[in-house]
Amino acid sequence: MSKLSLIESSLLCLCLMCITVSLACPIAHRQALLQFKHSLIRNSSTDEILFDLESWNSSPDCCQWERVVCDSSNSALKPVIALDLSKLYLGSFAVMAPIFNIKSLTKLDVSKNFLQGEIPIWKLARLNRLVYLDMSYNNLSASIPSLLFSLRNLEHLDLTGNSFCGELSSHVRNLSKLKFLGLACNSLSGEIRKEIAKLVRLQNLWLHGNRFSRKVPNSIL
Ligand SMILES: *[C@@H]1O[C@H](CO)[C@@H](O)[C@H](O)[C@H]1NC(C)=O
Ligand SMILES: *[C@@H]1O[C@H](CO)[C@@H](O)[C@H](O)[C@H]1NC(C)=O
Ligand SMILES: *[C@@H]1O[C@H](CO)[C@@H](O)[C@H](O)[C@H]1NC(C)=O
């Protein structure tokens, strides 16, 4: 091989590498998603899960996988920004540990997953870019942790159809960008917070099916 063709072929190699790198999601995100997938398979043997995440691994670029959306506005880096993990029968937050490391997430849907117990709020609160969070129709219990209301970018928060109890924290007022707040069908009690009236962008508020005292603050009506 001549010197020139050697240089040419190494240049070609470099270019191919560049293209591959620029098309792919960050390696850390790919690994986190695969770790999540593998823990699902190890802990559950329903065919549905395996079938559902079949596309995860088919391409080295996780941005091509089903249920995964990447930010493609920047050609060099395509971080994962949205994950639809609904109806995967997760059962426990334990399997989600790798997901909580994807800090670029702006949208996370874990609805209808038979999730039990308390929200692992210290992990969830790290995802502070979240704009959309759907945890509806699980079996989440205890009170809604006030740290959840530190996710100040949230525009859509759906906690409908769980077993949350106790009073709603006044810190809910911190979610000033909220357009949708779903709290229906839980066991929340106490008064309906007047702080909710301070959420000026709110368009949808679902409160039915709780144990709130009858009094609705005038500011909300
Ligand atoms: C798998 O299930 C076992 C037993 O329930 C549990 O201890 C373990 O944390 C689970 N693993 C993952 C990754 O969730
Ligand atoms: C929901 O969780 C509680 C414990 O927090 C449990 O007693 C109950 O059976 C669960 N319900 C369902 C439908 O899984
Ligand atoms: C809500 O905002 C107040 C005032 O900025 C702050 O002191 C408080 O810690 C915030 N609460 C949460 C849960 O982030």
Side-chain angles (χ1 to χ4, degrees):
M1 212 188 266
S2 76
K3 233 185 193 165
L4 194 65
S5 64
L6 243 179
I7 293 171
E8 271 175 359
S9 53
S10 12
L11 274 178
L12 186 68
C13 269
L14 261 177
C15 281
L16 280 176
M17 272 170 66
C18 285
I19 289 167
T20 319
V21 168
S22 72
L23 283 180
C25 67
I27 290 167
H29 291 179
R30 183 171 189 273
Q31 282 172 343
L33 293 177
L34 287 180
Q35 204 183 331
F36 168 75
K37 179 185 171 177
H38 291 148
S39 60
L40 279 190
I41 292 164
R42 196 166 54 240
N43 267 21
S44 172
S45 50
T46 67
D47 293 331
E48 197 151 357
I49 291 167
L50 295 173
F51 176 74
D52 228 38
L53 296 180
E54 210 168 25
S55 71
W56 288 31
N57 222 8
S58 54
S59 144
D61 180 6
C62 74
C63 301
Q64 309 289 327
W65 300 352
E66 279 170 58
R67 296 166 171 267
V68 180
V69 177
C70 296
D71 177 6
S72 50
S73 60
N74 183 333
S75 59
L77 206 75
K78 290 191 165 73
V80 174
I81 51 165
L83 279 177
D84 174 2
L85 304 178
S86 64
K87 295 187 239 171
L88 288 173
Y89 307 97
L90 299 182
S92 146
F93 275 111
V95 294
M96 281 185 62
I99 303 298
F100 292 129
N101 290 326
I102 306 178
K103 304 257 171 59
S104 51
L105 282 178
T106 60
K107 182 172 176 180
L108 180 62
D109 183 351
V110 290
S111 62
K112 300 174 186 156
N113 266 310
F114 300 101
L115 290 171
Q116 307 269 341
E118 295 183 33
I119 297 178
I121 190 60
W122 291 101
K123 292 176 184 159
L124 182 62
R126 287 189 302 196
L127 301 179
N128 58 11
R129 297 192 194 162
L130 282 178
V131 170
Y132 182 108
L133 178 60
D134 188 348
M135 305 180 100
S136 63
Y137 302 104
N138 283 292
N139 188 15
L140 301 175
S141 55
S143 58
I144 298 172
S146 58
L147 201 55
L148 186 62
F149 306 126
S150 67
L151 295 172
R152 285 164 180 268
N153 291 313
L154 282 180
E155 292 176 10
H156 182 108
L157 175 61
D158 198 351
L159 303 174
T160 301
N162 281 287
S163 306
F164 288 115
C165 57
E167 296 190 20
L168 192 64
S169 161
S170 62
H171 291 247
V172 70
R173 83 163 83 87
N174 291 18
L175 300 184
S176 57
K177 296 181 181 171
L178 219 50
K179 292 176 185 162
F180 179 100
L181 178 59
L183 300 172
C185 306
N186 280 286
S187 302
L188 296 168
S189 56
E191 286 181 25
I192 294 170
R193 285 275 174 199
K194 59 181 186 305
E195 282 82 1
I196 288 179
K198 301 224 166 74
L199 304 174
V200 291
R201 302 203 190 162
L202 207 57
Q203 292 162 359
N204 284 288
L205 175 63
W206 294 3
L207 297 173
H208 62 268
N210 279 288
R211 295 176 193 160
F212 288 121
S213 62
R214 287 278 157 195
K215 232 172 59 192
V216 177
N218 286 336
S219 46
I220 293 181
L221 295 174

